[in-house]
Amino acid sequence: MALILTFLGKSSTARTKIAIAAAMKQAREGKRVLLAGNSEPAMQILLGTTLSNEPQEVAPNLQAVQFHASTLLESSWEEVKKLEAQYLRTPFLKEVYGQELAVLPGMDAALALNAVRQYDESGKYDTIVYDGTGDSTTLRLLGLPESLSWYVRRFRQLFVNSDLGKAISESPLIQPLISTFFNINWTSDNFSQPTNMANNLLDKGKAALADPKRIAAFLVTNDDPVEIASARYLWGSAQLIGLTIGGVILTGAVSNPTLQEEFEPLTITTVNDATEGQWQSMIDTLPDFVAQATLAPRPMEIDTGARQVRLFLPGFDKKQVKLTQYGPEVTIEAGDQRRNILLPPPLSGKPITGAKFQNGYLIISF
Amino acid sequence: MALILTFLGKSSTARTKIAIAAAMKQAREGKRVLLAGNSEPAMQILLGTTLSNEPQEVAPNLQAVQFHASTLLESSWEEVKKLEAQYLRTPFLKEVYGQELAVLPGMDAALALNAVRQYDESGKYDTIVYDGTGDSTTLRLLGLPESLSWYVRRFRQLFVNSDLGKAISESPLIQPLISTFFNINWTSDNFSQPTNMANNLLDKGKAALADPKRIAAFLVTNDDPVEIASARYLWGSAQLIGLTIGGVILTGAVSNPTLQEEFEPLTITTVNDATEGQWQSMIDTLPDFVAQATLAPRPMEIDTGARQVRLFLPGFDKKQVKLTQYGPEVTIEAGDQRRNILLPPPLSGKPITGAKFQNGYLIISF
């Protein structure tokens, strides 16, 4: 089980530099580190080397890899074809080659998340630094286990009981496909026993996200008001999907005296730039990521004794947060993120009796 | 039919500023302009106003809108539920509310593309300036009609003839759902007659993308080697999905003497920065977007006489481009984009006899 670190913020080049320096810092501390990026050229130029879809050593203890969605898609396709051959008398997907599959929107994120999960489970790394898009797209990616498991739990019962559900579940391919990808048994029997799902991929993803020693993100900003506002927006949005923001990394000089207030109670660390591949100066100024992430506010706390749910939603004011209770769960919306909260038994199904916004926390009472 | 303009490049703030200035320039020239962005705060701060999911006038002839994926998803969900009620005896989706749906990766892009399409078809605008993520995600979004129509044409025959396809096509909901979203009739009869599909959404999207007077992107870069390399990478990637890159917009001072060579044959326009909401100075330095886009190299030309396909793939060298012919079409891969080329009748099904890379063009002979 590795520590997964990522960076959010508006300046793409600044984020990539900090990801590289963070990976180097961890490697020099003796951790086995994987630095993972997308297929755009920035990381290669900054590292001064060519990267590929296979991890390669770029420094002692430090490997780097580029996620290439087209190639990742090919491997997944081979798995699908194997299943098809196993379960269908007349397989037809075998005529389609992985090498010709086009990448659709969303596949990059899903494939990258799956690749991170596999490297994490390989046991080969102590730290994985993921240099993603650093914006809402990265939040969609890390929020995928939560949002997908909402779809599963919300639709499973409706679907299993429907005519369409019955028609589809009779196809011999659909069940193994879904079981393989999500490690869930697609039968109504299993759906009625949520404990059977405890060990599945989505729950593992959610558990990792809830643990700041497993997954943490840091904000990267400079002194520009647009960058600061964007970082605050990403901070609040990240909290809503359950991602811990460990701290703020500030690049460049500061003239804004209220900066500390804007990110209260996070620690702001000012880092030196890494020019011309001189990383040491930046590495020396980086914070202790795990220590900061452990101290940062937790995105959500459920207090069944006080019959309260407390969500830390910095960067938003009361008017920007929407709270509804249409379905069986409570839905919170802020920014462009939406989270459905599955309440534990003592609060489950209870109507909301009050909600207030206090010091950046949304406090919901039942 | 509006002109759709977008900007690609590594600096998000620079792109948003140029999108705003481009929208203002077009509006001052008398065009009816829609400026569309995502829900992050940058555009609101730079415009000094609050934006929402509904277009609002921010200057004469200029409306601005923020695409809010959660809200767009609600409207689409209402359409799905209407269809379900119409076609299924026992509708089950009606119990799920649009307001609780979580946004999955890829939905942002698909919903934004659909919203742009609807504003385009509304006839209310002469120009739509889309300030997207400006990276590969925007290319996935604009490439969606092409890649989705590849899935349709590649899988339709295989699927219709399969056991699974027969089972699914017997469900009374699937056919109207697919017809509504893609305006395609999901019957084997239709699939055998490609002309029936000529008027569908995907073909309309592809036709728009192929016309530089309808959709064009411009690269935004500064003098930093990482930004320049990223812009070149996005240039080549855009060509592969069929998106015309009209020119290069350079922000800040230049000391790199080879910059012109890097983007040959595009025109590089140096623009002034817009500080503190003073847009006029930036607007005055912007290029004539349509004139530049019309002169820019076309992404692909098929010459049936010479039995050649020519693709303009700048920013890549020969080793970075992969050409395969596994399925019935020719597949080109470069960067992290993959395009399957449907050859016209004289070349269709013919094996490749040669391929060479010349002056940034990949020339394939049959």
Side-chain angles (χ1 to χ4, degrees):
Chain A
M1 290 296 137
L3 163 72
I4 298 165
L5 274 182
T6 194
F7 299 92
L8 305 174
K10 215 158 175 57
S11 169
S12 171
T13 307
R15 274 189 285 106
T16 302
K17 282 185 176 178
I18 287 165
I20 292 172
M24 288 178 168
K25 178 179 156 78
Q26 296 264 316
R28 290 180 192 181
E29 288 168 2
K31 310 271 185 8
R32 299 166 303 159
V33 181
L34 179 69
L35 174 63
N38 60 24
S39 55
E40 294 188 16
M43 192 183 281
Q44 298 189 77
I45 297 174
L46 290 168
L47 283 174
T49 184
T50 307
L51 299 175
S52 80
N53 219 35
E54 289 296 325
Q56 66 188 71
E57 186 153 301
V58 294
N61 288 330
L62 177 58
Q63 299 195 332
V65 66
Q66 257 192 344
F67 293 149
H68 196 255
S70 319
T71 315
L72 293 172
L73 188 57
E74 285 172 37
S75 334
S76 301
W77 187 243
E78 290 312 309
E79 294 303 310
V80 170
K81 288 207 281 190
K82 269 185 219 157
L83 279 173
E84 197 210 18
Q86 198 176 336
Y87 287 95
L88 286 194
R89 277 190 307 275
T90 51
F92 63 98
L93 300 179
K94 67 172 164 33
E95 293 174 42
V96 178
Y97 302 89
Q99 292 84 345
E100 50 175 339
L101 292 178
V103 180
L104 297 176
M107 285 185 181
D108 302 77
L111 292 163
L113 184 66
N114 193 47
V116 168
R117 183 184 66 78
Q118 287 173 340
Y119 287 121
D120 180 31
E121 292 195 342
S122 74
K124 289 184 191 163
Y125 305 103
D126 303 308
T127 306
I128 298 174
V129 179
Y130 173 59
D131 180 39
T133 55
D135 59 4
S136 303
T137 309
T138 296
L139 297 182
R140 296 273 186 252
L141 176 153
L142 290 171
L144 184 59
E146 171 70 41
S147 45
L148 210 53
S149 64
W150 176 80
Y151 277 95
V152 172
R153 62 177 190 263
R154 188 76 178 95
F155 283 84
R156 65 189 178 198
Q157 209 54 57
L158 297 172
F159 188 75
V160 166
N161 294 336
S162 75
D163 297 343
L164 179 61
K166 284 175 196 144
I168 288 180
S169 63
E170 278 159 20
S171 164
L173 181 60
I174 296 293
Q175 289 197 24
L177 259 186
I178 291 174
S179 309
T180 304
F181 280 116
F182 302 122
N183 207 7
I184 293 169
N185 236 328
W186 192 261
T187 66
S188 50
D189 188 48
N190 243 29
F191 282 143
S192 58
Q193 296 171 31
T195 46
N196 287 6
M197 295 171 62
N199 207 26
N200 75 35
L201 280 191
L202 300 180
D203 280 1
K204 275 191 198 167
K206 285 194 286 179
L209 195 64
D211 181 354
K213 287 180 185 148
R214 291 277 289 115
I215 303 184
F218 284 73
L219 302 174
V220 175
T221 185
N222 62 19
D223 194 33
D224 180 61
V226 174
E227 287 223 5
I228 293 171
S230 300
R232 277 173 51 85
Y233 177 87
L234 290 168
W235 185 22
S237 302
Q239 298 290 315
L240 196 52
I241 66 153
L243 171 65
T244 300
I245 299 294
V248 181
I249 294 172
L250 185 67
T251 59
V254 193
S255 60
N256 187 334
T258 67
L259 198 68
Q260 183 60 57
E261 280 169 42
E262 303 261 25
F263 294 102
E264 200 70 50
L266 299 181
T267 303
I268 299 178
T269 309
T270 305
V271 297
N272 293 334
D273 193 14
T275 44
E276 304 275 329
Q278 299 303 306
W279 296 101
Q280 195 59 52
S281 150
M282 180 179 262
I283 291 170
D284 290 341
T285 48
L286 285 176
D288 178 337
F289 296 108
V290 177
Q292 288 202 358
T294 314
L295 289 172
R298 309 303 286 269
M300 179 171 76
E301 283 163 26
I302 299 181
D303 183 341
T304 50
R307 306 173 72 82
Q308 280 187 341
V309 173
R310 284 189 292 269
L311 287 114
F312 183 52
L313 291 177
F316 296 115
D317 65 29
K318 196 176 171 175
K319 275 180 274 176
Q320 291 169 301
V321 178
K322 206 169 112 189
L323 173 65
T324 51
Q325 201 176 19
Y326 284 100
E329 303 182 13
V330 172
T331 307
I332 319 280
E333 188 175 321
D336 201 5
Q337 301 293 335
R338 190 178 275 168
R339 178 160 184 187
N340 292 289
I341 300 172
L342 179 63
L343 298 165
L347 304 180
S348 178
K350 296 276 183 302
I352 295 171
T353 57
K356 59 180 174 181
F357 212 81
Q358 206 168 49
N359 303 327
Y361 281 85
L362 173 67
I363 304 171
I364 311 167
S365 304
F366 296 87
Chain B
M1 292 295 138
L3 163 72
I4 298 165
L5 274 183
T6 196
F7 300 92
L8 304 173
K10 216 159 172 56
S11 170
S12 169
T13 307
R15 275 189 284 105
T16 302
K17 282 185 178 179
I18 287 164
I20 292 172
M24 287 179 170
K25 178 178 154 81
Q26 295 263 317
R28 291 180 192 180
E29 288 169 359
K31 309 272 184 9
R32 298 165 305 159
V33 182
L34 179 69
L35 173 63
N38 60 24
S39 56
E40 292 186 18
M43 192 184 280
Q44 298 189 77
I45 296 172
L46 291 168
L47 283 174
T49 184
T50 309
L51 299 174
S52 79
N53 218 35
E54 290 296 323
Q56 64 188 71
E57 188 153 299
V58 293
N61 287 329
L62 176 58
Q63 298 195 335
V65 67
Q66 256 191 344
F67 292 151
H68 196 255
S70 318
T71 314
L72 293 172
L73 188 55
E74 285 172 37
S75 335
S76 301
W77 188 243
E78 291 309 310
E79 295 302 312
V80 170
K81 288 209 282 189
K82 270 186 218 157
L83 280 172
E84 197 210 18
Q86 198 177 338
Y87 287 96
L88 286 193
R89 276 190 306 275
T90 52
F92 63 99
L93 301 179
K94 66 172 166 31
E95 293 174 41
V96 178
Y97 301 89
Q99 292 83 347
E100 51 175 337
L101 293 176
V103 180
L104 297 175
M107 283 187 183
D108 300 77
L111 291 164
L113 184 65
N114 193 45
V116 167
R117 181 185 67 79
Q118 286 174 339
Y119 286 121
D120 180 29
E121 292 196 342
S122 73
K124 288 183 189 162
Y125 304 103
D126 302 309
T127 306
I128 298 173
V129 179
Y130 174 57
D131 179 40
T133 54
D135 58 5
S136 303
T137 309
T138 296
L139 297 181
R140 296 274 186 252
L141 177 155
L142 291 171
L144 183 59
E146 172 69 42
S147 45
L148 208 53
S149 63
W150 175 78
Y151 277 93
V152 172
R153 63 179 190 260
R154 188 77 175 95
F155 282 84
R156 65 190 177 197
Q157 209 55 58
L158 296 172
F159 189 75
V160 166
N161 294 336
S162 76
D163 298 342
L164 181 61
K166 283 176 197 146
I168 288 181
S169 63
E170 277 159 22
S171 163
L173 180 60
I174 296 295
Q175 289 198 24
L177 258 185
I178 292 173
S179 310
T180 303
F181 280 117
F182 303 122
N183 209 9
I184 293 167
N185 235 329
W186 192 261
T187 66
S188 51
D189 186 50
N190 243 29
F191 282 143
S192 58
Q193 295 172 33
T195 47
N196 288 4
M197 294 171 62
N199 207 26
N200 76 37
L201 281 189
L202 301 179
D203 281 2
K204 276 190 196 170
K206 286 193 285 178
L209 195 63
D211 180 356
K213 287 181 184 148
R214 292 275 289 116
I215 304 185
F218 284 74
L219 303 173
V220 175
T221 185
N222 62 19
D223 194 33
D224 180 63
V226 175
E227 286 224 5
I228 292 170
S230 300
R232 277 173 51 86
Y233 177 86
L234 290 168
W235 184 24
S237 302
Q239 298 290 314
L240 195 52
I241 67 153
L243 170 65
T244 300
I245 298 293
V248 181
I249 294 172
L250 185 67
T251 59
V254 194
S255 59
N256 187 332
T258 67
L259 197 68
Q260 182 62 57
E261 280 169 41
E262 302 261 27
F263 294 102
E264 200 70 52
L266 299 183
T267 303
I268 298 178
T269 309
T270 305
V271 296
N272 292 334
D273 193 12
T275 44
E276 304 276 327
Q278 299 302 308
W279 297 100
Q280 194 60 51
S281 151
M282 180 179 262
I283 292 170
D284 289 342
T285 47
L286 287 176
D288 179 337
F289 296 106
V290 177
Q292 287 202 359
T294 314
L295 289 173
R298 309 303 287 266
M300 180 172 74
E301 282 164 27
I302 298 180
D303 183 342
T304 51
R307 305 173 72 83
Q308 279 187 344
V309 172
R310 284 190 292 270
L311 286 114
F312 183 53
L313 291 177
F316 297 115
D317 65 31
K318 196 175 172 175
K319 274 180 273 176
Q320 292 168 300
V321 177
K322 207 169 112 190
L323 174 65
T324 51
Q325 201 175 20
Y326 284 100
E329 304 183 12
V330 172
T331 305
I332 320 280
E333 189 175 317
D336 200 4
Q337 301 292 335
R338 191 177 274 169
R339 179 163 183 182
N340 291 290
I341 300 172
L342 178 65
L343 298 163
L347 304 181
S348 178
K350 296 276 184 303
I352 295 172
T353 56
K356 60 180 173 180
F357 212 80
Q358 206 170 49
N359 302 326
Y361 281 85
L362 173 68
I363 303 170
I364 310 164
S365 303
F366 296 86

